[in-house]
Amino acid sequence: MDELLDAAVSLDERRLDPAVALAAMDESGPREPHRQFALKHEDCFAVCDAYGDIRGAGDGFFRDDTRVLSHFRVYLGDRTPSLLGASLSQDNILFTANLTNLPLKLRESTELRQGVLHLERTRFLWQERMYERLALSNYTGKALSIPLRLDFDVDFRDMFEVRGSTRSKRGRIYEAETAPDAITFRYDGLDQVVRRSVIAFSRTPDDLARGRAEFTITIPNRGREVIYVEVGKDHAVPGRERFRAAAARARWAMRSKRRHGALVYSSGRVFNDWLTRTRADIALLTTELETGPYPYAGIPWFSTAFGRDGVISAMQMLWLNPGLARGVLTFLASHQATETSPFSDSEPGKIMHETRKGEMAVLRELPFARYYGGVDTTPLYIYLASAYAARTGDLEFVDHMWPSLCAAADWIEQACARDPDGFLTYRRAAGSGLSNQGWKDSADAIFHADGSPPPGPIALVEVQGYVFAAFAGLAELAERREEYEKAAHWRALADKIQQAVERRFWMEEHGYYALALDGEGRQCAVRASNAGHLLFVGLPAPERAERLAEQLLSGPFYTGWGIRTLAETELPFNPMSYHNGSIWPHDTAICAAGLARYGDRDNVVKLMSGTFEAAVNFSMRLPELFCGFTRSPGEAPVAYPVACLPQAWSAGSAFMLLQACLGLKVDGWKGEIEVTNPRLPIGIDNLSVRHIRVGEASVDLVFERLRDRVVCYLDRRHEGMAPLIVRS
């Protein structure tokens, strides 16, 4: 067990900063996420490059946190084709790579000139299978026999091995079993699970061995020949009908998911393209679990249920699709801790941080099968529940959730009682856990002004804001349940922590809140974006909120693309780091929502504009993070090398920013829509929100720019269905 814990400690340092994990991987090719393409269906996902190739670094086809296809490349003759272009369909279902041949010597000793063959690779995932169509077209003016080769391999590596962990022992990989049209790989895991991966072809290869399949494709002039390939748990016979039928089902299922919740349309074509891609990314990452829809965090490293990520993603989409929040809350309640375990960092009432299904998690080589080492997840869970109730007026669901919410509140209260100031702190319970347990969870993310690591237990500033919001939200729910004693108790706790934050975290000489307090009660006197989250929950007094907001929008933080996680004047600042100077779109969006809460909607428009323009430079897909370099005329934002793409809370940032611009709030208790001092994004003259639910009604809202004002009104056919209150 000691060896396993030592291995897990090593893994912890790698898993926190993906750049370290990348350095430990197979160097068969650089991983550039903004030039890679991801597909997902339920608990399977695939990542490839623009050629459609899987090269064996951080890419592959994964099923339940295990890589079931680690190498998959196409050759014409013995040469890699030349790339013409690659794209994902608008609904994120189909990946297509368009390729052509380089100069090629054929078997009949003729030289084939470049650019006369077209190879189209089309791929999608459906029900734990990867489907691929290779269509080869001939434009030479004569019939040809073309040699085509597929190289492949299966390593059955656990996700954490792919990310850099070294294991002392693995299960057994068998010799591949070949059939005329398929090859089967098998791995018997140490967890007693037999994993298979079968690669099957629609036509029989001329030669099929463990690592390759060779074909001779005879194509008439202007003709087209197709090979279908499937990768799954068992042997199937690929073909045109199977491919078309599975693709149709996959597209129908995605269309159904994208229809959940209200829809947004604007007068801006490019802006609409961004919102459409963003909505498709959220649908792609949302997995239908037994408890309802849950947005998985991101591909490739975090394609699983995370507590914090799921809650924030649901919060971002709450005004449009409250059903997502309901699914997140139900899942997290069903996985709430009921026992104390240092290994998993669990205590009764605590809400889960992460869950994994891979071999290493099952064997407890690491604690992430069901891990509770997130200090902010529990208060965020309560805050989401209160926000969901306010959005929907669904008191019946609150009644159902009440025991779980009370258990979560009890854990927070008991944990706060351990700290002299009554703050919620963290210190990992076992060496195998995360050393930092806020959203900035890399090992070097929390520090004193001189860069030294603080002793624990650590109280993060934003976490105290979440606790304030959790207790305030619970107090309101308790009043609606006529539990007035509990309401008074929780309101007193909210007031107490608000006063304590103002007293202990405020740095008058900086006009800002400290990043954290260490275990000795000393301030980590660092200006970080974490303090902006206090605006989101409404904790700061107005005068301090104004000073905080002014700094977030100043040069040390604001780059033109978004808000840096750390002011550039701080000692450990590095715009290329994971958490110490980079830009995280969800972080920028939370700060923007905070500005809107305090009435600063014009600067929200500014942040929305920078984020949108960054998205345009990333092909309409905001990555998990990007580098925090200051924007220069004519230059694009700089990508972070190993960011997840897509990432749920990065995608949801678009809609959180948009809500902050519009000043829109749905009051589920009153059955009203409130719009306060609305603004439209730069370049947008009108925008409509269609089918937004207000109680039992579904209405359409229209925002329109009239000279220097933005007006909002209900579509005529909905007049009288739901009160609309507009405040300028």
Side-chain angles (χ1 to χ4, degrees), residues 367-388:
F368 306 117
R370 191 178 295 178
Y371 181 58
Y372 294 84
V375 69
D376 51 0
T377 309
T378 306
L380 280 170
Y381 165 76
I382 296 174
Y383 185 32
L384 177 62
S386 64
Y388 168 83

Side-chain angles (χ1 to χ4, degrees), residues 133-177:
R133 180 181 64 202
L134 297 106
L136 191 59
S137 300
N138 175 9
Y139 296 99
T140 62
K142 61 180 179 180
L144 289 175
S145 292
I146 304 298
L148 183 145
R149 188 177 94 236
L150 282 169
D151 285 3
F152 47 79
D153 199 7
V154 178
D155 62 6
F156 294 108
R157 295 281 175 180
D158 187 279
M159 168 60 74
F160 286 92
E161 290 183 273
V162 176
R163 291 173 60 181
S165 175
T166 301
R167 300 177 68 188
S168 60
K169 186 178 180 182
R170 299 188 76 240
R172 178 184 176 187
I173 294 184
Y174 290 79
E175 285 295 320
E177 299 177 4

Side-chain angles (χ1 to χ4, degrees), residues 40 281 285-287 294-310 313 353 356 624 644-651:
K40 177 185 173 296
D281 282 349
L285 290 166
T286 298
T287 301
Y294 200 103
Y296 281 8
I299 298 173
W301 313 120
F302 308 121
S303 186
T304 187
F306 274 75
R308 177 194 303 119
D309 298 63
S313 299
H353 168 69
R356 294 285 184 176
E624 176 188 17
C644 284
L645 190 69
Q647 181 90 352
W649 65 12
S650 287

Side-chain angles (χ1 to χ4, degrees), residues 487-508:
H489 175 68
W490 285 325
R491 184 159 286 111
L493 289 176
D495 291 343
K496 179 182 177 182
I497 202 161
Q498 181 180 31
Q499 294 166 16
V501 169
E502 295 282 40
R503 184 177 68 255
R504 297 286 286 114
F505 281 85
W506 182 253
M507 303 182 294
E508 181 60 35

Side-chain angles (χ1 to χ4, degrees), residues 361-425:
V362 171
L363 292 171
R364 293 173 65 86
E365 294 179 32
L366 40 80
F368 306 117
R370 191 178 295 178
Y371 181 58
Y372 294 84
V375 69
D376 51 0
T377 309
T378 306
L380 280 170
Y381 165 76
I382 296 174
Y383 185 32
L384 177 62
S386 64
Y388 168 83
R391 165 65 177 85
T392 63
D394 188 353
L395 196 55
E396 182 180 348
F397 183 70
V398 171
D399 292 341
H400 173 71
M401 293 286 294
W402 197 244
S404 172
L405 295 173
C406 289
D410 287 345
W411 176 80
I412 295 173
E413 192 170 348
Q414 291 168 23
C416 288
R418 302 168 195 161
D419 182 74
D421 293 300
F423 293 132
L424 182 57
T425 64

